[in-house]
Coordinates of all heavy atoms in Angstrom, one line a residue:
M1 N 237.7 161.7 102.7 CA 236.8 162.2 103.7 C 237.4 162.0 105.1 O 237.8 160.9 105.5 CB 235.4 161.4 103.6 CG 234.4 161.8 104.5 SD 232.9 160.9 104.1 CE 231.8 161.7 105.1
P2 N 237.5 163.1 105.8 CA 238.1 163.0 107.2 C 237.2 162.2 108.1 O 236.0 162.1 108.0 CB 238.1 164.5 107.6 CG 237.2 165.2 106.8 CD 237.0 164.4 105.5
R3 N 238.0 161.5 109.0 CA 237.3 160.7 110.1 C 236.5 161.6 111.0 O 237.0 162.7 111.4 CB 238.3 159.9 110.8 CG 238.9 158.8 110.1 CD 239.7 157.9 110.9 NE 240.6 158.7 111.8 CZ 241.5 158.2 112.6 NH1 241.6 156.9 112.7 NH2 242.1 158.9 113.4
R4 N 235.4 161.2 111.5 CA 234.6 162.0 112.4 C 235.3 161.7 113.8 O 235.7 160.7 114.2 CB 233.2 161.4 112.5 CG 232.3 162.2 113.4 CD 230.9 161.8 113.1 NE 230.0 162.5 114.1 CZ 229.3 161.9 115.0 NH1 229.2 160.5 115.0 NH2 228.6 162.5 115.9
F5 N 235.4 162.9 114.6 CA 236.0 162.8 115.9 C 234.9 162.5 116.9 O 234.0 163.2 117.1 CB 236.6 164.2 116.2 CG 237.4 164.1 117.5 CD1 238.7 163.5 117.5 CD2 237.0 164.7 118.6 CE1 239.4 163.5 118.7 CE2 237.7 164.7 119.8 CZ 238.9 164.1 119.8
R6 N 235.1 161.3 117.5 CA 234.1 160.8 118.5 C 234.9 160.4 119.7 O 235.9 159.7 119.5 CB 233.3 159.6 118.0 CG 232.3 160.0 117.0 CD 231.5 158.8 116.7 NE 232.1 157.5 117.2 CZ 231.6 156.3 117.0 NH1 230.5 156.2 116.3 NH2 232.2 155.2 117.4
L7 N 234.5 160.8 120.9 CA 235.1 160.3 122.1 C 234.4 159.1 122.5 O 233.2 159.2 122.9 CB 235.1 161.4 123.2 CG 235.8 162.7 122.9 CD1 235.7 163.7 124.0 CD2 237.3 162.4 122.7
T8 N 235.0 157.9 122.3 CA 234.3 156.7 122.6 C 234.6 156.0 123.9 O 233.9 155.1 124.3 CB 234.6 155.7 121.5 OG1 236.0 155.5 121.4 CG2 234.1 156.2 120.1
R9 N 235.6 156.5 124.5 CA 236.1 155.8 125.8 C 236.2 156.9 126.9 O 236.7 158.0 126.7 CB 237.4 155.2 125.7 CG 237.5 154.1 124.6 CD 237.0 152.8 125.1 NE 237.2 151.8 124.2 CZ 236.2 151.2 123.4 NH1 235.1 151.8 123.4 NH2 236.5 150.3 122.6
R10 N 235.7 156.5 128.1 CA 235.9 157.4 129.2 C 236.5 156.5 130.3 O 236.1 155.3 130.5 CB 234.6 158.0 129.7 CG 234.0 158.9 128.7 CD 232.9 159.7 129.3 NE 232.3 160.6 128.4 CZ 232.7 161.8 128.1 NH1 233.8 162.3 128.8 NH2 232.1 162.6 127.2
F11 N 237.5 157.0 130.9 CA 238.1 156.2 132.0 C 238.6 157.2 133.1 O 239.0 158.3 132.8 CB 239.3 155.4 131.5 CG 240.4 156.1 130.8 CD1 241.5 156.5 131.5 CD2 240.2 156.5 129.5 CE1 242.5 157.2 130.9 CE2 241.2 157.3 128.9 CZ 242.4 157.6 129.6
P12 N 238.6 156.7 134.4 CA 239.1 157.6 135.4 C 240.7 157.6 135.4 O 241.3 156.6 135.1 CB 238.7 156.8 136.7 CG 238.5 155.4 136.3 CD 238.1 155.4 134.8
V13 N 241.1 158.8 135.5 CA 242.6 159.0 135.4 C 243.1 159.8 136.6 O 242.4 160.8 137.1 CB 242.9 159.9 134.2 CG1 244.3 160.2 134.1 CG2 242.4 159.2 132.9
A14 N 244.1 159.3 137.2 CA 244.8 160.0 138.3 C 246.0 160.7 137.7 O 246.8 160.0 137.1 CB 245.1 159.1 139.4
M15 N 246.1 162.0 138.0 CA 247.3 162.7 137.5 C 247.9 163.5 138.6 O 247.2 163.9 139.5 CB 246.8 163.7 136.4 CG 246.3 163.0 135.2 SD 246.0 164.2 133.8 CE 247.6 164.7 133.3
T16 N 249.1 163.8 138.5 CA 249.8 164.8 139.4 C 249.2 166.2 139.1 O 248.7 166.5 138.0 CB 251.3 164.8 139.2 OG1 251.6 165.3 137.9 CG2 251.9 163.4 139.5
E17 N 249.3 167.1 140.1 CA 248.9 168.4 139.9 C 249.7 169.1 138.8 O 249.2 169.8 137.9 CB 249.0 169.2 141.2 CG 247.9 169.0 142.2 CD 246.6 169.4 141.7 OE1 246.5 170.5 141.1 OE2 245.6 168.6 141.8
D18 N 251.0 168.9 138.8 CA 251.9 169.4 137.7 C 251.5 168.9 136.3 O 251.4 169.7 135.4 CB 253.3 169.1 138.0 CG 253.9 169.8 139.2 OD1 253.3 170.8 139.6 OD2 255.0 169.4 139.7
G19 N 251.2 167.6 136.3 CA 250.8 167.0 135.0 C 249.5 167.6 134.5 O 249.3 167.9 133.3
Y20 N 248.5 167.8 135.4 CA 247.2 168.3 135.1 C 247.3 169.8 134.6 O 246.7 170.1 133.6 CB 246.2 168.1 136.2 CG 244.8 168.5 135.7 CD1 244.1 167.8 134.8 CD2 244.2 169.6 136.3 CE1 242.8 168.1 134.4 CE2 242.9 170.0 135.9 CZ 242.2 169.2 135.0 OH 241.0 169.6 134.6
R21 N 248.1 170.5 135.3 CA 248.3 172.0 134.9 C 248.9 172.1 133.6 O 248.5 172.9 132.8 CB 249.1 172.7 136.0 CG 248.4 173.1 137.2 CD 249.1 174.1 138.1 NE 250.3 173.6 138.5 CZ 250.5 173.0 139.7 NH1 249.4 172.8 140.5 NH2 251.6 172.5 140.1
R22 N 249.8 171.2 133.3 CA 250.5 171.2 132.0 C 249.5 170.8 130.9 O 249.5 171.4 129.8 CB 251.7 170.3 132.0 CG 252.5 170.4 130.7 CD 253.0 171.8 130.4 NE 253.6 171.9 129.1 CZ 253.1 172.4 128.0 NH1 251.9 173.0 128.1 NH2 253.7 172.4 126.9
L23 N 248.7 169.8 131.2 CA 247.7 169.3 130.2 C 246.7 170.5 129.9 O 246.4 170.8 128.8 CB 246.9 168.1 130.7 CG 245.7 167.7 129.9 CD1 246.1 167.2 128.5 CD2 245.0 166.5 130.6
K24 N 246.2 171.2 131.0 CA 245.3 172.2 130.8 C 245.9 173.4 130.0 O 245.3 173.9 129.1 CB 244.8 172.8 132.1 CG 243.8 171.9 132.8 CD 243.3 172.5 134.1 CE 242.5 173.7 133.8 NZ 241.1 173.7 134.1
R25 N 247.2 173.7 130.3 CA 247.9 174.7 129.5 C 248.0 174.4 128.0 O 247.7 175.2 127.1 CB 249.2 175.0 130.1 CG 249.9 176.2 129.5 CD 251.2 176.6 130.1 NE 252.2 175.5 130.0 CZ 253.2 175.5 130.7 NH1 253.6 176.4 131.6 NH2 254.1 174.5 130.5
F26 N 248.4 173.1 127.8 CA 248.5 172.7 126.4 C 247.2 172.7 125.7 O 247.1 173.2 124.6 CB 249.1 171.2 126.3 CG 249.0 170.6 125.0 CD1 249.8 171.0 123.9 CD2 248.1 169.6 124.7 CE1 249.7 170.5 122.7 CE2 248.0 169.1 123.5 CZ 248.8 169.5 122.4
A27 N 246.1 172.2 126.4 CA 244.8 172.2 125.7 C 244.3 173.6 125.4 O 243.8 173.9 124.3 CB 243.8 171.5 126.7
T28 N 244.5 174.6 126.3 CA 244.1 176.0 126.1 C 244.9 176.6 124.9 O 244.3 177.2 124.1 CB 244.4 176.8 127.4 OG1 243.6 176.2 128.5 CG2 244.0 178.2 127.2
E29 N 246.2 176.4 124.9 CA 247.0 176.9 123.8 C 246.6 176.3 122.5 O 246.7 177.0 121.5 CB 248.5 176.6 124.1 CG 249.0 177.4 125.2 CD 250.4 177.0 125.6 OE1 251.0 176.0 125.0 OE2 251.0 177.6 126.5
A30 N 246.1 175.0 122.5 CA 245.8 174.4 121.2 C 244.3 174.6 120.9 O 243.9 174.1 119.8 CB 246.1 172.9 121.3
G31 N 243.6 175.2 121.8 CA 242.1 175.4 121.5 C 241.3 174.2 121.6 O 240.3 174.0 120.9
L32 N 241.7 173.3 122.5 CA 241.1 171.9 122.7 C 240.6 171.9 124.2 O 241.1 172.6 125.1 CB 242.0 170.8 122.4 CG 242.7 170.8 121.1 CD1 243.8 169.8 121.1 CD2 241.7 170.5 120.0
D33 N 239.7 170.9 124.5 CA 239.5 170.6 125.9 C 240.5 169.5 126.3 O 241.2 169.0 125.5 CB 238.0 170.2 126.1 CG 237.6 168.9 125.5 OD1 238.4 168.0 125.3 OD2 236.4 168.7 125.2
E34 N 240.5 169.1 127.6 CA 241.5 168.2 128.1 C 241.4 166.8 127.4 O 242.4 166.2 127.0 CB 241.4 168.1 129.6 CG 241.9 169.3 130.3 CD 240.8 170.3 130.6 OE1 239.7 170.1 130.1 OE2 241.0 171.3 131.2
G35 N 240.2 166.3 127.2 CA 240.0 165.1 126.5 C 240.5 165.1 125.1 O 241.2 164.1 124.7
E36 N 240.2 166.1 124.3 CA 240.7 166.2 123.0 C 242.2 166.3 122.9 O 242.9 165.8 122.1 CB 240.1 167.5 122.3 CG 238.6 167.4 122.1 CD 237.9 168.7 121.8 OE1 238.5 169.8 122.0 OE2 236.8 168.6 121.2
A37 N 242.8 167.1 123.9 CA 244.2 167.1 124.0 C 244.9 165.8 124.2 O 245.9 165.5 123.6 CB 244.6 168.2 125.0
L38 N 244.3 165.1 125.2 CA 244.9 163.7 125.4 C 244.8 162.8 124.2 O 245.7 162.1 123.8 CB 244.2 163.1 126.6 CG 244.6 163.6 128.0 CD1 243.8 162.9 129.0 CD2 246.1 163.2 128.2
S39 N 243.6 162.9 123.5 CA 243.4 162.1 122.3 C 244.5 162.4 121.2 O 245.1 161.6 120.6 CB 242.0 162.3 121.7 OG 241.1 161.7 122.6
F40 N 244.6 163.8 121.0 CA 245.6 164.2 120.1 C 247.1 163.7 120.4 O 247.7 163.1 119.6 CB 245.7 165.7 120.0 CG 246.9 166.2 119.3 CD1 246.9 166.3 117.9 CD2 248.0 166.7 119.9 CE1 248.0 166.7 117.2 CE2 249.1 167.1 119.2 CZ 249.1 167.2 117.8
L41 N 247.4 163.8 121.7 CA 248.8 163.4 122.1 C 249.0 161.9 121.9 O 250.0 161.5 121.3 CB 249.0 163.8 123.5 CG 249.2 165.2 123.8 CD1 249.3 165.5 125.3 CD2 250.4 165.8 123.1
F42 N 248.0 161.1 122.2 CA 248.2 159.6 122.1 C 248.0 159.2 120.6 O 248.6 158.2 120.2 CB 247.3 158.9 123.0 CG 247.8 158.9 124.4 CD1 247.3 159.7 125.4 CD2 248.9 158.2 124.8 CE1 247.8 159.8 126.7 CE2 249.5 158.2 126.0 CZ 248.9 159.0 127.0
E43 N 247.1 159.8 119.9 CA 247.0 159.4 118.5 C 248.3 159.7 117.6 O 248.6 159.1 116.7 CB 245.8 160.1 117.8 CG 244.5 159.6 118.2 CD 243.3 160.2 117.6 OE1 243.5 161.0 116.6 OE2 242.2 160.1 118.0
N44 N 249.0 160.8 118.1 CA 250.2 161.2 117.4 C 251.4 161.1 118.2 O 252.4 161.7 118.0 CB 250.0 162.8 117.0 CG 248.8 163.0 116.1 OD1 248.9 162.6 114.9 ND2 247.8 163.4 116.7
F45 N 251.4 160.1 119.1 CA 252.5 159.9 120.1 C 253.9 159.8 119.5 O 254.8 160.5 119.9 CB 252.2 158.6 120.9 CG 253.1 158.4 122.1 CD1 252.9 159.1 123.3 CD2 254.2 157.5 122.0 CE1 253.7 158.9 124.3 CE2 255.0 157.3 123.1 CZ 254.8 158.0 124.2
D46 N 254.0 159.0 118.5 CA 255.3 158.8 117.9 C 255.9 160.1 117.3 O 257.1 160.3 117.3 CB 255.3 157.7 116.8 CG 255.1 156.3 117.5 OD1 255.4 156.2 118.6 OD2 254.6 155.5 116.8
S47 N 255.1 160.9 116.7 CA 255.5 162.1 116.0 C 255.7 163.3 117.0 O 256.4 164.2 116.7 CB 254.6 162.5 114.9 OG 253.4 162.8 115.3
V48 N 255.1 163.3 118.1 CA 255.2 164.4 119.1 C 256.2 164.1 120.2 O 256.6 165.1 120.9 CB 253.9 164.8 119.7 CG1 252.9 165.3 118.7 CG2 253.3 163.8 120.6
M49 N 256.7 162.9 120.3 CA 257.6 162.5 121.3 C 259.0 162.5 120.8 O 259.2 162.1 119.6 CB 257.3 161.2 121.9 CG 256.0 161.1 122.7 SD 255.7 162.3 123.9 CE 257.1 161.9 125.1
H50 N 260.0 162.9 121.6 CA 261.4 162.9 121.2 C 261.9 161.5 121.7 O 262.1 161.4 122.9 CB 262.2 164.1 121.8 CG 263.6 164.1 121.2 ND1 264.6 163.4 121.7 CD2 264.1 164.9 120.2 CE1 265.7 163.7 121.1 NE2 265.4 164.6 120.2
G51 N 262.1 160.6 120.8 CA 262.5 159.2 121.2 C 263.7 159.1 122.1 O 263.7 158.3 123.1
E52 N 264.7 159.9 121.9 CA 265.9 159.8 122.7 C 265.7 160.3 124.2 O 266.2 159.8 125.1 CB 267.0 160.6 122.1 CG 267.5 160.0 120.8 CD 268.5 160.9 120.1 OE1 269.1 161.8 120.8 OE2 268.8 160.7 118.9
N53 N 264.8 161.3 124.3 CA 264.5 161.9 125.6 C 263.5 161.1 126.4 O 263.5 161.1 127.7 CB 264.0 163.3 125.5 CG 265.1 164.3 125.1 OD1 266.2 164.0 125.1 ND2 264.6 165.4 124.7
L54 N 262.6 160.3 125.7 CA 261.6 159.7 126.4 C 262.1 158.6 127.4 O 261.6 158.7 128.6 CB 260.6 158.9 125.4 CG 259.5 158.1 126.0 CD1 258.5 159.1 126.8 CD2 258.7 157.4 124.9
G55 N 263.0 157.8 127.0 CA 263.5 156.8 128.0 C 264.1 157.4 129.2 O 263.9 157.0 130.3
H56 N 264.9 158.4 129.0 CA 265.6 159.1 130.1 C 264.6 159.8 131.0 O 264.7 159.6 132.2 CB 266.6 160.2 129.5 CG 267.2 161.1 130.5 ND1 268.1 160.6 131.5 CD2 267.0 162.4 130.9 CE1 268.5 161.6 132.3 NE2 267.8 162.7 131.9
R57 N 263.6 160.5 130.5 CA 262.6 161.1 131.3 C 261.8 160.1 132.1 O 261.4 160.3 133.2 CB 261.7 162.0 130.5 CG 262.4 163.2 129.8 CD 263.0 164.1 130.9 NE 262.3 165.3 130.8 CZ 262.4 166.2 131.7 NH1 263.2 166.1 132.7 NH2 261.8 167.4 131.6
L58 N 261.5 159.0 131.5 CA 260.7 157.9 132.1 C 261.5 157.3 133.3 O 260.9 157.1 134.3 CB 260.3 156.9 131.1 CG 259.4 155.8 131.6 CD1 258.1 156.4 132.2 CD2 259.1 154.8 130.4
R59 N 262.8 157.1 133.1 CA 263.6 156.6 134.2 C 263.6 157.6 135.4 O 263.5 157.2 136.5 CB 265.0 156.3 133.7 CG 265.1 155.0 132.9 CD 266.5 154.6 132.7 NE 267.3 155.6 131.9 CZ 267.2 155.7 130.5 NH1 266.4 154.8 129.9 NH2 267.9 156.6 129.9
L60 N 263.7 158.9 135.1 CA 263.7 159.9 136.1 C 262.4 159.9 136.9 O 262.3 160.0 138.1 CB 264.0 161.3 135.6 CG 265.4 161.6 135.1 CD1 265.5 162.9 134.4 CD2 266.4 161.5 136.3
F61 N 261.3 159.9 136.1 CA 260.0 159.9 136.7 C 259.7 158.7 137.6 O 259.3 158.8 138.7 CB 258.9 159.9 135.6 CG 257.5 160.0 136.1 CD1 257.0 161.2 136.5 CD2 256.7 158.9 136.3 CE1 255.7 161.4 137.0 CE2 255.4 158.9 136.7 CZ 254.9 160.2 137.1
N62 N 260.2 157.5 137.1 CA 260.0 156.3 137.9 C 260.8 156.3 139.2 O 260.4 155.8 140.2 CB 260.3 155.1 137.1 CG 259.2 154.7 136.2 OD1 258.0 154.9 136.4 ND2 259.5 154.1 135.0
A63 N 262.0 156.9 139.1 CA 262.9 157.0 140.2 C 262.3 157.8 141.3 O 262.5 157.6 142.5 CB 264.3 157.5 139.8
E64 N 261.6 158.9 141.0 CA 261.0 159.8 141.9 C 259.6 159.4 142.3 O 259.0 160.0 143.3 CB 260.9 161.2 141.3 CG 262.3 161.8 141.0 CD 262.1 163.1 140.2 OE1 261.0 163.5 139.8 OE2 263.2 163.8 140.1
L65 N 259.0 158.4 141.7 CA 257.5 158.2 141.8 C 257.2 157.8 143.3 O 256.2 158.4 143.8 CB 257.1 157.1 140.9 CG 255.6 156.8 140.7 CD1 254.9 158.1 140.3 CD2 255.4 155.7 139.7
E66 N 257.9 156.9 143.9 CA 257.5 156.5 145.2 C 257.6 157.7 146.2 O 256.7 157.8 147.1 CB 258.4 155.3 145.7 CG 258.0 154.0 145.1 CD 256.6 153.7 145.3 OE1 256.1 153.8 146.5 OE2 255.9 153.2 144.3
A67 N 258.6 158.5 146.1 CA 258.7 159.6 147.0 C 257.6 160.6 146.8 O 257.1 161.3 147.7 CB 260.1 160.3 146.8
R68 N 257.2 160.8 145.6 CA 256.1 161.7 145.2 C 254.7 161.2 145.7 O 253.8 162.0 146.0 CB 256.1 162.0 143.7 CG 257.3 162.7 143.3 CD 257.3 162.8 141.8 NE 256.3 163.8 141.3 CZ 256.2 164.2 140.1 NH1 256.9 163.7 139.1 NH2 255.3 165.1 139.8
K69 N 254.6 159.9 145.9 CA 253.3 159.4 146.4 C 253.1 159.6 147.9 O 252.0 159.6 148.4 CB 253.3 157.9 146.2 CG 253.1 157.5 144.7 CD 253.0 156.0 144.5 CE 252.8 155.6 143.1 NZ 252.7 154.2 143.0
K70 N 254.2 160.0 148.6 CA 254.1 160.2 150.1 C 253.7 161.6 150.4 O 253.8 162.5 149.8 CB 255.4 159.8 150.7 CG 255.7 158.4 150.6 CD 257.1 158.1 151.2 CE 257.4 156.6 150.9 NZ 258.7 156.3 151.4

């Protein structure tokens, strides 16, 4: 029997405009709303992420983060 999909947590999230636009595009393409899309991504994180690229992309993002906050 499949698990029932319930959104049990709500939390304020701050996102960059680019990140939010990409989330909305992904959600639309997948036929989901933004909350469902985030739940899908995090529930399936290991299988949807490319492990070798994640570390590199995270280092780049962190290196640019302070400049992007200004």
Side-chain angles (χ1 to χ4, degrees):
M1 182 172 187
R3 290 185 318 183
R4 184 168 175 241
F5 186 76
R6 291 184 342 184
L7 298 177
T8 59
R9 302 278 188 257
R10 295 194 180 273
F11 59 97
V13 176
M15 294 184 75
T16 63
E17 284 295 319
D18 290 342
Y20 186 66
R21 280 194 297 270
R22 184 61 186 104
L23 173 62
K24 285 184 64 116
R25 186 174 64 193
F26 170 71
T28 300
E29 290 171 357
L32 304 169
D33 67 29
E34 288 88 356
E36 293 165 342
L38 282 173
S39 291
F40 168 79
L41 289 172
F42 283 104
E43 285 180 15
N44 299 285
F45 189 80
D46 292 333
S47 62
V48 298
M49 297 303 299
H50 189 278
E52 293 175 16
N53 289 346
L54 179 61
H56 174 70
R57 295 299 247 168
L58 186 56
R59 283 189 298 280
L60 289 174
F61 183 82
N62 282 331
E64 299 172 351
L65 192 55
E66 286 303 316
R68 293 175 73 176
K69 288 181 180 180
K70 297 176 183 178

